[in-house]
Coordinates of all heavy atoms in Angstrom, one line a residue:
F270 N 0.8 -1.2 0.0 CA 0.0 0.0 0.0 C 0.9 1.2 0.0 O 1.8 1.4 0.8 CB -0.9 0.0 1.2 CG -1.9 1.1 1.3 CD1 -3.0 1.2 0.5 CD2 -1.6 2.2 2.2 CE1 -3.9 2.2 0.6 CE2 -2.5 3.2 2.3 CZ -3.6 3.3 1.5
Q271 N 0.6 2.2 -0.9 CA 1.5 3.3 -1.2 C 1.2 4.6 -0.4 O 2.1 5.5 -0.4 CB 1.6 3.6 -2.7 CG 2.0 2.4 -3.6 CD 3.5 2.3 -3.5 OE1 4.3 3.2 -3.3 NE2 4.0 1.0 -3.7
L272 N 0.1 4.7 0.2 CA -0.3 6.0 0.7 C -0.4 6.1 2.2 O -0.9 7.0 2.8 CB -1.8 6.3 0.2 CG -1.9 6.3 -1.3 CD1 -3.3 6.5 -1.8 CD2 -1.0 7.3 -2.0
G273 N 0.2 5.2 3.0 CA 0.1 5.2 4.4 C 1.3 4.8 5.2 O 1.2 4.2 6.3
G274 N 2.5 5.0 4.6 CA 3.7 4.6 5.3 C 3.9 3.1 5.4 O 4.6 2.6 6.3
Q275 N 3.4 2.3 4.5 CA 3.4 0.9 4.5 C 4.5 0.3 3.6 O 4.7 -0.9 3.5 CB 2.1 0.2 4.1 CG 0.9 0.6 5.0 CD 1.1 0.1 6.4 OE1 1.3 0.8 7.3 NE2 1.0 -1.2 6.6
K276 N 5.3 1.2 3.0 CA 6.3 0.7 2.0 C 7.3 -0.2 2.6 O 7.8 -1.0 1.9 CB 6.9 1.9 1.3 CG 5.9 2.7 0.4 CD 6.7 3.8 -0.3 CE 5.7 4.6 -1.2 NZ 6.4 5.7 -1.9
E277 N 7.7 0.0 3.8 CA 8.7 -0.8 4.4 C 8.1 -2.0 5.2 O 8.9 -2.9 5.6 CB 9.5 0.1 5.4 CG 10.2 1.3 4.8 CD 11.1 0.9 3.6 OE1 11.8 -0.1 3.7 OE2 11.1 1.6 2.6
E278 N 6.8 -2.1 5.3 CA 6.1 -3.2 6.0 C 6.0 -4.3 5.1 O 5.8 -4.2 3.8 CB 4.8 -2.7 6.5 CG 4.9 -1.6 7.6 CD 5.6 -2.0 8.8 OE1 5.3 -3.2 9.3 OE2 6.4 -1.3 9.3
P279 N 6.0 -5.6 5.6 CA 5.8 -6.7 4.8 C 4.3 -6.9 4.2 O 3.4 -6.4 4.8 CB 6.1 -7.9 5.7 CG 5.8 -7.4 7.1 CD 6.2 -5.9 7.0
S280 N 4.2 -7.4 3.0 CA 2.9 -7.9 2.5 C 2.7 -9.3 3.1 O 3.6 -10.1 3.3 CB 3.0 -8.0 1.0 OG 3.1 -6.8 0.4
E281 N 1.4 -9.5 3.5 CA 1.0 -10.8 4.1 C -0.1 -11.4 3.3 O -1.1 -10.8 2.9 CB 0.6 -10.5 5.6 CG 1.7 -9.9 6.4 CD 1.2 -9.7 7.9 OE1 0.1 -10.2 8.2 OE2 1.9 -9.0 8.6
F282 N 0.0 -12.7 3.1 CA -1.0 -13.5 2.4 C -1.3 -14.8 3.2 O -0.4 -15.3 3.8 CB -0.6 -13.9 1.0 CG -0.4 -12.7 0.1 CD1 0.9 -12.2 -0.1 CD2 -1.4 -12.1 -0.6 CE1 1.1 -11.1 -0.9 CE2 -1.2 -11.1 -1.5 CZ 0.1 -10.6 -1.6
A283 N -2.6 -15.2 3.2 CA -2.9 -16.5 3.7 C -4.1 -17.0 2.8 O -5.0 -16.3 2.4 CB -3.4 -16.4 5.1
I284 N -4.0 -18.3 2.4 CA -5.0 -18.9 1.6 C -5.3 -20.3 2.1 O -4.4 -21.1 2.5 CB -4.5 -19.0 0.1 CG1 -5.6 -19.3 -0.8 CG2 -3.3 -19.9 -0.1 CD1 -5.3 -19.1 -2.3
S285 N -6.6 -20.6 2.1 CA -7.1 -22.0 2.5 C -7.7 -22.6 1.2 O -8.6 -22.0 0.6 CB -8.1 -21.9 3.6 OG -7.6 -21.3 4.7
L286 N -7.2 -23.8 0.9 CA -7.7 -24.6 -0.3 C -8.2 -26.0 0.1 O -7.5 -26.6 0.9 CB -6.6 -24.6 -1.3 CG -6.0 -23.3 -1.9 CD1 -4.8 -23.6 -2.7 CD2 -7.1 -22.6 -2.7
F287 N -9.3 -26.4 -0.4 CA -9.7 -27.7 -0.3 C -9.3 -28.5 -1.5 O -9.8 -28.3 -2.6 CB -11.3 -27.8 -0.1 CG -11.8 -29.1 0.3 CD1 -11.9 -29.5 1.6 CD2 -12.2 -30.0 -0.7 CE1 -12.4 -30.7 2.0 CE2 -12.7 -31.2 -0.3 CZ -12.8 -31.6 1.0
L288 N -8.3 -29.4 -1.3 CA -7.6 -30.1 -2.4 C -7.7 -31.6 -2.2 O -7.1 -32.1 -1.3 CB -6.2 -29.7 -2.5 CG -5.9 -28.1 -2.5 CD1 -4.4 -27.9 -2.4 CD2 -6.5 -27.5 -3.8
D289 N -8.5 -32.2 -3.1 CA -8.6 -33.7 -3.2 C -8.9 -34.3 -1.8 O -8.2 -35.2 -1.4 CB -7.2 -34.2 -3.7 CG -7.3 -35.6 -4.2 OD1 -8.5 -36.0 -4.6 OD2 -6.3 -36.3 -4.3
G290 N -9.9 -33.7 -1.1 CA -10.4 -34.3 0.1 C -9.7 -33.8 1.4 O -10.1 -34.3 2.5
E291 N -8.8 -32.8 1.2 CA -8.1 -32.3 2.4 C -8.1 -30.8 2.4 O -8.0 -30.2 1.3 CB -6.7 -32.9 2.5 CG -6.6 -34.4 2.6 CD -5.2 -34.9 2.6 OE1 -4.4 -34.6 1.6 OE2 -4.8 -35.7 3.5
L292 N -8.0 -30.2 3.6 CA -8.0 -28.8 3.7 C -6.6 -28.3 4.0 O -6.0 -28.7 5.1 CB -8.9 -28.3 4.8 CG -9.0 -26.8 5.1 CD1 -9.6 -26.1 3.8 CD2 -9.9 -26.5 6.3
F293 N -6.0 -27.5 3.2 CA -4.6 -27.0 3.3 C -4.7 -25.5 3.6 O -5.5 -24.8 3.0 CB -3.8 -27.3 2.1 CG -3.5 -28.7 1.8 CD1 -4.4 -29.5 1.0 CD2 -2.5 -29.4 2.4 CE1 -4.2 -30.8 0.8 CE2 -2.2 -30.7 2.2 CZ -3.1 -31.4 1.4
E294 N -3.7 -25.0 4.3 CA -3.6 -23.6 4.6 C -2.1 -23.2 4.4 O -1.2 -23.9 4.8 CB -4.0 -23.2 6.0 CG -5.5 -23.5 6.3 CD -5.9 -23.1 7.7 OE1 -5.0 -22.7 8.5 OE2 -7.1 -23.2 8.0
Y295 N -1.9 -22.1 3.7 CA -0.6 -21.6 3.4 C -0.5 -20.1 3.8 O -1.5 -19.3 3.4 CB -0.2 -21.8 2.0 CG 1.2 -21.2 1.6 CD1 2.4 -21.7 2.2 CD2 1.3 -20.1 0.8 CE1 3.6 -21.2 1.9 CE2 2.6 -19.5 0.5 CZ 3.7 -20.1 1.1 OH 4.9 -19.5 0.8
E296 N 0.5 -19.7 4.5 CA 0.6 -18.3 4.9 C 2.0 -17.8 4.7 O 3.0 -18.6 4.9 CB 0.3 -18.1 6.4 CG 0.3 -16.7 6.9 CD -0.1 -16.5 8.4 OE1 -0.4 -17.6 9.0 OE2 -0.1 -15.4 8.9
V297 N 2.2 -16.6 4.2 CA 3.5 -16.1 3.9 C 3.6 -14.6 4.1 O 2.6 -13.8 3.8 CB 4.0 -16.4 2.4 CG1 3.0 -15.8 1.4 CG2 5.4 -16.0 2.2

């Protein structure tokens, strides 16, 4: 985000996927 002093802060993502009968979560 460019307008609030966030340029040096990390970007964060988390995704949950139901894949072939199992629930997976990935965060970075």
Side-chain angles (χ1 to χ4, degrees):
F270 182 76
Q271 297 285 331
L272 303 176
Q275 299 295 109
K276 291 184 180 181
E277 303 300 322
E278 297 296 317
S280 292
E281 300 181 10
F282 297 94
I284 192 166
S285 299
L286 299 171
F287 189 86
L288 306 174
D289 199 24
E291 299 176 305
L292 181 63
F293 295 90
E294 296 181 357
Y295 177 69
E296 184 177 1
V297 62

